[in-house]
Amino acid sequence: MNIKILTDMASDFSENEIEKYGIICLDMPLSINGEDAENISLNEFWNKLLNGAVIKTSQVSQQNLMKVFSSVKENNELLIAIFLSSKLSNTYNSAVLIKEELDYDGIYVMDSLCASIAEKVLVLKACELVKNGLDFKNIIAFLETFKTKIRLFACIDTLKFLARGGRINSNIAQIGNILRIKPLITFDKEGRIEIIAKKIGLNMAMKELLDAVIKNKIDFSKKFYPIFAYNDKNCDYFIELLKNKNKEIIIEEKQNIGKVIGTHIGPGGFGIVCFEQ
């Protein structure tokens, strides 16, 4: 039976990649100043965000989930649906309820426990396993273990956009930016965002982020996926720090954080997606 892979826009696939890998990528509604902007390009998105537009995101619509799931059932296909961490969005929970309503075992709904390029890496592994001919149950079992090994470590360069989205108090954000405080984040094992540290200045933040990678027993024989938000300057410098620690490190192409996560962290953010030993 044909196995399809589905994900959401938070996985940061480009249109070309969606076509290349043959995945289904469901939109997460995006509004700019109260108007629908789902089809806006990434460059336009950053331009509007940086110029003060009020941008909001929401979960994948239940209607779109039902449409895809129903089609899979009607055509007797198999589907693995991988979504943004359930601690950040209700999409996963909605998908579970819709699957139960349809009462079809050919759909498997997976909580990625992560977001952005970390989620993308999980989806890419699913595509690889399908291409290699692994059966439905074995793919699911592999992915459930594989996702626990994916780690994302990142630095948020500015607190401005967290405040704009209501994630933190605006006064705290203003003080933090004046003091040049850079929060370092990761995802815990339950898919929650965890603050590793708060460092003053970019240099201190980069050193602490590098230490976090090393302390968490990351497998340096596996690929590293550098990530950045809008501007890759900080990301490039961090890559050099990684290379100085291990000359044999395998660095994949830099990955641009997309609209869903970019809305909340703003420009200048950077980090790495890698794997535990």
Side-chain angles (χ1 to χ4, degrees):
M1 294 174 66
N2 183 34
I3 303 175
K4 292 186 173 183
I5 304 297
L6 177 146
T7 189
D8 54 45
M9 198 170 74
S11 59
D12 292 339
F13 278 92
S14 68
E15 290 296 329
N16 287 339
E17 289 172 326
I18 291 170
E19 183 177 353
K20 176 182 177 180
Y21 295 106
I23 62 175
I24 304 167
C25 188
L26 295 180
D27 282 332
M28 301 182 76
L30 185 84
S31 68
I32 298 180
N33 297 328
E35 297 183 1
D36 174 66
E38 285 184 22
N39 296 320
I40 192 173
S41 71
L42 189 56
N43 286 337
E44 289 177 295
F45 159 79
W46 282 116
N47 182 58
K48 290 185 179 296
L49 186 72
L50 294 173
N51 282 286
V54 177
I55 302 181
K56 295 182 179 181
T57 62
S58 58
Q59 70 180 67
V60 173
S61 76
Q62 294 187 14
Q63 182 180 1
N64 285 342
L65 285 169
M66 178 61 81
K67 181 179 179 180
V68 175
F69 284 15
S70 296
S71 175
V72 167
K73 180 180 179 179
E74 289 169 7
N75 292 304
N76 197 34
E77 295 173 318
L78 299 173
L79 176 73
I80 299 173
I82 301 172
F83 295 111
L84 170 67
S85 171
S86 60
K87 300 301 187 294
L88 299 181
S89 167
N90 202 42
T91 299
Y92 167 78
N93 295 320
S94 295
V96 169
L97 292 175
I98 291 171
K99 185 226 169 171
E100 290 175 352
E101 181 181 339
L102 291 173
D103 190 26
Y104 179 57
D105 291 335
I107 296 172
Y108 188 82
V109 181
M110 182 175 294
D111 184 348
S112 71
L113 303 178
C114 56
S116 188
I117 309 306
E119 182 183 353
K120 182 179 184 177
V121 166
L122 181 60
V123 175
L124 288 174
K125 177 56 70 172
C127 293
E128 177 187 326
L129 296 175
V130 170
K131 184 178 180 180
N132 290 342
L134 209 63
D135 66 74
F136 188 60
K137 289 185 178 180
N138 281 324
I139 291 175
I140 291 166
F142 186 97
L143 293 177
E144 286 291 355
T145 299
F146 182 78
K147 75 179 184 181
T148 66
K149 300 295 184 181
I150 302 173
R151 300 301 306 273
L152 182 150
F153 300 93
C155 173
I156 297 175
D157 193 45
T158 174
L159 303 177
K160 175 180 177 180
F161 298 92
L162 288 172
R164 186 184 291 181
R167 302 281 172 165
I168 61 173
N169 181 276
S170 59
N171 291 329
I172 292 175
Q174 187 174 9
I175 293 170
N177 283 331
I178 291 172
L179 296 175
R180 299 183 298 116
I181 291 176
K182 313 292 182 183
L184 309 182
I185 63 170
T186 188
F187 282 91
D188 67 18
K189 294 299 183 179
E190 284 73 48
R192 298 183 183 89
I193 291 178
E194 175 186 351
I195 297 178
I196 303 170
K198 300 174 185 176
K199 290 296 177 179
I200 295 177
L202 197 57
N203 288 335
M204 289 294 293
M206 286 196 178
K207 291 177 182 177
E208 184 69 22
L209 199 63
L210 185 62
D211 286 344
V213 172
I214 295 169
K215 288 175 184 176
N216 280 273
K217 299 180 179 178
I218 296 305
D219 189 345
F220 275 81
S221 70
K222 299 281 176 56
K223 293 179 180 180
F224 281 66
Y225 296 81
I227 60 176
F228 69 96
Y230 180 64
N231 188 321
D232 62 359
K233 180 180 178 181
N234 293 337
C235 182
D236 286 342
Y237 185 67
F238 185 66
I239 291 172
E240 289 305 312
L241 292 179
L242 277 171
K243 288 180 177 178
N244 289 336
K245 277 290 181 182
N246 190 315
K247 301 296 183 183
E248 305 301 319
I249 190 171
I250 304 169
I251 303 289
E252 285 291 289
E253 183 180 353
K254 288 178 292 187
Q255 303 283 316
N256 199 346
I257 293 170
K259 295 175 278 187
V260 175
I261 306 302
T263 296
H264 303 289
I265 69 169
F270 65 94
I272 202 82
V273 174
C274 45
F275 301 92
E276 285 185 354
Q277 292 176 2

